[in-house]
Amino acid sequence: VLFLAYFVLQVIYARRKYKISPPETTGHPEFERIFRAQVNCSEYFPIFLSLLWVAGIFFHQGVAAVCGLLYLYTRFKYFQGYTVAAQGRLGPLCASARLLWLLLGLAVAGLLAHFLLP
């Protein structure tokens, strides 16, 4: 949640810097990149939290926590890269996607083990 708050604050600062009033979402290219980075991170947050929660409960809390911290780090790097240049988001985007897939695998493995194994 602190990451999302940080991203929102960056949008607010960019709005002030480039004099873009809500509800406008276009204007200076730097503002648009910051805005899109924030929105993209917010869109994936419910998926991340759900997978983190299920993997932590049904697979292993420690493994899920490490994956969660790595995911947050990659999204932070994604945000930083995107605010500089649109191409700067690609490496961290791939890394965060791999971590989401890993969390999905852990969640499924944990659920299968919980419900199918004695």
Side-chain angles (χ1 to χ4, degrees):
V1 171
L2 294 176
F3 273 91
L4 291 180
Y6 170 77
F7 298 152
V8 168
L9 287 174
Q10 297 309 303
V11 172
I12 291 169
Y13 298 145
R15 283 189 182 281
R16 291 178 183 158
K17 181 177 180 180
Y18 299 108
K19 298 178 180 23
I20 299 172
S21 298
E24 294 296 321
T25 57
T26 59
H28 193 278
E30 186 173 334
F31 166 77
E32 290 179 12
R33 287 192 309 271
I34 292 169
F35 179 77
R36 283 305 315 155
Q38 181 267 326
V39 170
N40 290 349
C41 290
S42 296
E43 290 170 345
Y44 279 90
F45 201 67
I47 297 167
F48 162 66
L49 278 182
S50 301
L51 291 174
L52 181 69
W53 179 67
V54 174
I57 290 174
F58 292 101
F59 187 80
H60 189 275
Q61 290 179 2
V63 174
V66 168
C67 289
L69 289 172
L70 289 171
Y71 177 81
L72 291 174
Y73 175 75
T74 60
R75 287 314 269 191
F76 181 71
K77 296 307 283 182
Y78 168 88
F79 187 87
Q80 286 183 321
Y82 203 165
T83 59
V84 173
Q87 295 301 321
R89 75 190 194 287
L90 297 178
L93 177 64
C94 291
S96 65
R98 280 189 229 111
L99 286 162
L100 282 180
W101 281 108
L102 177 59
L103 280 171
L104 176 63
L106 297 176
V108 168
L111 286 168
L112 289 174
H114 180 77
F115 289 110
L116 298 180
L117 299 177

